[in-house]
Amino acid sequence: MSLRAPTILLPLHASPSPAMARSYSHSYSGLAVAVAVAAFLAVGQASGFGFDIHHRYSPVVQRWAEERGHAGLRWPADAVVEGSPAYYSALSRHDHAHFARRGLAQGNDLLTFADGNITVRLDGSLHYAEVAVGTPNTTFLVALDTGSDLFWVPCDCKQCSAITNITAQGGPDLRPYSPAQSSTSKTVTCDNGLCERPNACATRNSSCPYAVRYVSANTSSSGVLVEDVLYLTRERGAGAGAAVKAPIVFGCGQVQTGAFLDGAAMDGLMGLGMDNVSVPSILASSGVVKSDSFSMCFSRDGVGRITFGDTGSRDQAETPFIVRSTHPTYNISVTSMDVGSNSLPVGFSAVVDSGTSFTYLNDPAYTALTTSFNSQVSERRVNFSTDGSDTFPFEYCYELSHNQTTVEPPVVSLTTKGGAVFPVLRPFVLIVDQLTNGKVRPIGYCLAMIKSDIPVDIIGQNFMTGLKVVFNRERSVLGWQKFDCYKDVKTGDDAGSPALTNQVNPQENESPAGNGSFPGAAPLPRQSSAGHAGRVPGGVFLSLMLLLLAAAIV
């Protein structure tokens, strides 16, 4: 997680534009089971065949699925009660998912935030979006994190990060949320199904407390759960632009610690994970969106999109999620890797986490990929950690000559379970230095991979650059496609496309304080000053939001 205040790095070819995983109880929405279970019947002395037909949510089908190892399937709590609201909602979602698989759905069902479908990469890698909650609405600039579940914002603060800097620099008018100031706010009591800490409550009618601890630098958020409206808008069709007020449950974050006080996700974090308390789960279970799926698009210059209810397209590549029965995450299986001309038969499973800036792999995958990449690079390897400290994260970095105009690192791709290839379009970051005239000049690049110090492999946001990534929870698959986030259309495999190529043009540009910079670039580390021991002033723009290792709610 970042230890610096957010800094906007402006794109080279575009105008300025605007790890964590909380472990909750599992209730996943993949419903890949048969609609009916057939049983052979002998009817008297007749020589015919008969079948018992059972509904997909019936106890018979549920037992059938569980006996055959279909773990991770969500059976609506009261789905066995035929005619209940949840029963019909589940059937409707199934129908729309079926339509989507046949390319017949999604006309008016796509939603995004009311302030516009745009996400922005701040602090180098994490994507943020403006969201509004409450009545009157309060705007927040929240980090988007597929590796965690809970959405929380600073609220009735006892210890929160100062947010005045963003507002003073021309950003949105940010202020903490207060349930008492919102006419649509409701208390989430300890007997609510989404309350994970009932044992910490004085009475059943008390406000439900929450506490989430993150690995990064003793980082945490705590407070109480509240219910209020989230402002959304419809994306397409006759209802495009129509406002939608969606009741959601989120955290009133009264106390933040660690990196949250140093600028990372200073105005809140939206967990997009699999648990029932996440925003995608609430939107789907309440019927606000018809498909329990959402997509995120990540462009090279740091601008992106997020769309709820989006199942992607029929021609996208896909691989199934590996869903654990407890603490589920968007975990996929990689069966092999390709780096340039080398095919590496090394497999691993990894969490796909937009809340982690870079990609973290354990051995043997890390060593296999990095050494193969290094063997095919023509530039001289160099160490950019000038003070000899271990604060600079990248092990494989390369120097650019003063008059060098292009670099072409080896192409990287991951082959996933089922055979679909996940293209890594931007596996590197540029390293820049500021000249005496105030301009910024690229001096090198690094393979943006880090050897994991936790027993979890993470595909971070940098490996998703240039792609639209679909988190289809209904079908339990991850989908992806090369995409133009500006035009909201898929792109081809043209290697010359600036958004897709691994070729960069290292030329002088304005400083980050001016009107231009290099997308995803990081400044050259400087010697640590006495007043900042162990830190890199002006340092690398990182947001190492690592996967949560232990449940914080007890």
Side-chain angles (χ1 to χ4, degrees):
M1 182 172 291
S2 174
L3 298 180
R4 304 182 65 253
T7 302
I8 299 178
L9 286 177
L10 302 175
L12 175 61
H13 299 298
S15 302
S17 303
M20 313 196 232
R22 163 67 185 91
S23 297
Y24 289 90
S25 61
H26 172 53
S27 179
Y28 184 60
S29 61
L31 294 171
V33 298
V35 174
V37 177
F40 171 74
L41 298 176
V43 184
Q45 300 297 319
S47 59
F49 293 92
F51 298 91
D52 282 342
I53 305 300
H54 301 280
H55 193 270
R56 68 198 305 267
Y57 290 142
S58 70
V60 175
V61 175
Q62 183 173 353
R63 289 194 300 270
W64 176 87
E66 291 172 350
E67 289 171 357
R68 285 155 179 78
H70 293 283
L73 303 181
R74 179 171 70 188
W75 305 91
D78 56 352
V80 293
V81 181
E82 186 172 350
S84 67
Y87 176 88
Y88 290 114
S89 294
L91 292 183
S92 177
R93 289 196 302 273
H94 163 70
D95 290 343
H96 281 80
H98 177 64
F99 296 155
R101 288 193 292 271
R102 297 173 58 192
L104 301 176
Q106 296 199 153
N108 299 326
D109 293 333
L110 304 185
L111 294 175
T112 191
F113 299 123
D115 286 303
N117 195 345
I118 185 169
T119 65
V120 184
R121 183 176 60 208
L122 302 179
D123 212 19
S125 289
L126 292 182
H127 275 246
Y128 290 72
E130 286 187 39
V131 303
V133 297
T135 307
N137 63 294
T138 305
T139 300
F140 297 90
L141 187 65
V142 300
L144 302 173
D145 181 23
T146 61
S148 67
D149 298 303
L150 185 65
F151 170 32
W152 62 264
V153 297
C155 164
D156 291 346
C157 288
K158 300 175 182 178
Q159 181 175 281
C160 301
S161 177
I163 58 178
T164 54
N165 291 338
I166 292 180
T167 301
Q169 295 172 8
D173 182 16
L174 304 178
R175 61 188 186 277
Y177 169 84
S178 176
Q181 301 300 316
S182 173
S183 63
T184 48
S185 176
K186 298 179 181 178
T187 299
V188 175
T189 59
C190 293
D191 60 357
N192 188 294
L194 295 179
C195 182
E196 294 286 338
R197 299 188 67 193
N199 294 336
C201 300
T203 68
R204 293 180 60 188
N205 294 325
S206 301
S207 292
C208 175
Y210 83 88
V212 186
R213 291 195 304 267
Y214 302 96
V215 170
S216 301
N218 299 314
T219 299
S220 68
S221 175
S222 60
V224 296
L225 295 182
V226 297
E227 179 183 321
D228 213 329
V229 294
L230 171 68
Y231 292 85
L232 303 167
T233 186
R234 298 210 176 272
E235 279 274 88
R236 298 176 185 170
V244 175
K245 295 181 181 180
I248 61 166
V249 171
F250 60 97
C252 169
Q254 299 165 339
V255 177
Q256 271 62 255
T257 65
F260 291 142
L261 300 180
D262 289 323
M266 65 168 60
D267 202 33
L269 181 141
M270 180 171 285
L272 300 167
M274 289 185 169
D275 192 74
N276 288 343
V277 78
S278 74
V279 169
S281 296
I282 293 174
L283 295 180
S285 63
S286 62
V288 176
V289 293
K290 299 300 183 183
S291 296
D292 188 6
S293 182
F294 70 95
S295 68
M296 298 183 72
C297 190
F298 305 92
S299 71
R300 175 188 170 190
D301 62 12
V303 175
R305 302 173 65 89
I306 180 169
T307 306
F308 298 103
D310 185 10
T311 58
S313 60
R314 286 176 294 178
D315 58 348
Q316 68 186 7
E318 293 181 347
T319 191
F321 290 130
I322 305 172
V323 182
R324 298 177 298 177
S325 59
T326 59
H327 313 325
T329 56
Y330 298 117
N331 200 52
I332 66 171
S333 176
V334 175
T335 57
S336 64
M337 304 178 290
D338 285 280
V339 181
S341 59
N342 295 337
S343 181
L344 309 175
V346 179
F348 57 93
S349 64
V351 178
V352 181
D353 183 10
S354 69
T356 300
S357 302
F358 303 110
T359 295
Y360 292 74
L361 296 181
N362 287 277
D363 276 335
Y366 174 81
T367 296
L369 195 155
T370 54
T371 55
S372 178
F373 186 94
N374 181 66
S375 68
Q376 300 177 67
V377 170
S378 59
E379 287 79 21
R380 184 175 71 90
R381 188 175 170 187
V382 64
N383 181 9
F384 286 119
S385 183
T386 57
D387 60 0
S389 72
D390 60 355
T391 54
F392 190 74
F394 306 125
E395 183 179 1
Y396 289 87
C397 298
Y398 308 93
E399 185 178 38
L400 298 176
S401 61
H402 181 70
N403 59 353
Q404 188 172 352
T405 58
T406 61
V407 296
E408 295 188 30
V411 175
V412 177
S413 65
L414 310 175
T415 300
T416 63
K417 182 178 180 179
V421 176
F422 189 97
V424 182
L425 304 176
R426 293 288 290 184
F428 59 87
V429 294
L430 285 175
I431 307 298
V432 299
D433 195 15
Q434 189 164 353
L435 306 178
T436 56
N437 61 5
K439 292 186 176 183
V440 171
R441 178 177 65 89
I443 61 171
Y445 65 96
C446 298
L447 176 61
M449 283 185 54
I450 300 171
K451 190 171 184 177
S452 184
D453 56 0
I454 59 176
V456 177
D457 295 315
I458 302 173
I459 295 176
Q461 186 272 315
N462 69 313
F463 268 34
M464 303 181 226
T465 299
L467 302 177
K468 173 183 173 180
V469 182
V470 177
F471 299 83
N472 193 323
R473 301 122 59 82
E474 200 151 75
R475 294 179 49 227
S476 193
V477 298
L478 182 80
W480 63 88
Q481 197 166 41
K482 295 179 182 179
F483 222 74
D484 185 327
C485 300
Y486 284 96
K487 298 178 180 178
D488 195 24
V489 295
K490 67 178 182 179
T491 59
D493 294 322
D494 180 9
S497 170
L500 303 177
T501 183
N502 270 343
Q503 179 173 313
V504 295
N505 296 293
Q507 300 170 358
E508 290 183 10
N509 205 2
E510 299 297 322
S511 69
N515 295 321
S517 185
F518 293 87
L524 180 68
R526 304 297 185 187
Q527 296 285 344
S528 295
S529 64
H532 294 80
R535 294 178 60 184
V536 183
V540 184
F541 296 143
L542 306 179
S543 295
L544 308 183
M545 305 184 75
L546 298 180
L547 187 71
L548 183 68
L549 291 181
I553 293 179
V554 295

